[in-house]
Amino acid sequence: MNQPLIIDYYSDILCVWAWVAQQRIEELNQKLENKIHVKYHHLDVFGDVHTKIETQWKQKGQYNGFAEHVHKSASIRDDVPTNSKIWTEVRPTTSANAHLVLKAIELIYDKNTSINMALKFRSAFFIDALDIGKLEILYDLVDFYGLEQKKIISSVHDGSAIAALMSNYQKSAQQNLQGSPTYIIDKGRQIFYGNVGYRVLLANIEALL
């Protein structure tokens, strides 16, 4: 039996293109089933939101301009909702806390549990407008979804989660990745980043199968 094609997928949880890409990944998994294996990694794009907005959006409306960009970007698909409050009223200061808690979940449980919770965190922000930059919000969410909050907090406090996250960030930095999300297909035979359409991804993946 042939081994599945590995797709290393790097994203920042606050990135709207990663929110859009979530639907495309689900479609790829449904279409190709056991022919591909997506490995999820965290990428530091919104680690310091304030500086990002001040440096990249200062002349474009700052938070309000960025909010307009996010809603416009998500509107390309009907199945990618966004709450009108995100980035205008609800402004997370960092994506790192969400990545940190997800690494703790991966250590306590497994990768699939962390992947599933990442989607719930994204939904909490983009749909429900919860500030997932705050640890107390993240801890409430893991408790709501039935995970062991105390064990997850312990992993954050003892340093094991941050160590795993730093390893992830360093790996992405070493590869000089250009943006979120980034798809590295078959150990670099194909690399795509940003808003990549489903048909483009599918065609390039099928060419390697």
Side-chain angles (χ1 to χ4, degrees), residues 3-8 37 183-191 204-205 208-209:
Q3 294 296 314
L5 186 72
I6 301 297
I7 302 173
D8 286 290
H37 175 55
Y183 309 79
I184 301 177
I185 303 172
D186 197 22
K187 298 180 180 179
R189 290 177 66 186
Q190 296 278 6
I191 299 176
N204 282 273
I205 290 170
L208 296 174
L209 292 175

Side-chain angles (χ1 to χ4, degrees), residues 49-179:
V49 173
H50 177 74
T51 299
K52 181 178 179 66
I53 297 298
E54 281 296 308
T55 56
Q56 298 181 22
W57 288 87
K58 189 172 184 178
Q59 306 301 324
K60 296 183 288 185
Q62 295 183 307
Y63 279 99
N64 288 334
F66 184 65
E68 184 179 348
H69 158 73
V70 166
H71 296 305
K72 184 177 180 181
S73 299
S75 70
I76 64 173
R77 292 187 60 128
D78 294 333
D79 55 354
V80 185
T82 54
N83 193 301
S84 61
K85 293 182 180 180
I86 62 173
W87 298 121
T88 52
E89 299 177 37
V90 180
R91 300 171 176 177
T93 58
T94 183
S95 59
N97 278 339
H99 294 164
L100 178 65
V101 172
L102 290 170
K103 274 299 177 184
I105 293 170
E106 181 181 326
L107 293 173
I108 300 299
Y109 293 92
D110 52 41
K111 287 184 178 295
N112 284 337
T113 304
S114 181
I115 292 166
N116 291 335
M117 189 54 63
L119 177 56
K120 292 177 171 60
F121 284 176
R122 278 193 168 99
S123 298
F125 175 63
F126 284 102
I127 298 176
D128 301 324
L130 295 181
D131 187 347
I132 61 170
K134 296 179 178 179
L135 283 171
E136 60 265 32
I137 297 293
L138 297 167
Y139 291 151
D140 284 347
L141 285 169
V142 299
D143 185 57
F144 177 79
Y145 286 108
L147 300 185
E148 295 189 62
Q149 186 189 82
K150 288 184 179 179
K151 288 186 177 180
I152 292 167
I153 292 174
S154 178
S155 179
V156 170
H157 285 180
D158 69 18
S160 57
I162 192 66
L165 179 59
M166 288 302 100
S167 177
N168 199 159
Y169 280 173
Q170 289 164 11
K171 184 177 180 181
S172 63
Q174 289 166 1
Q175 297 179 86
N176 296 314
L177 302 185
Q178 298 298 308

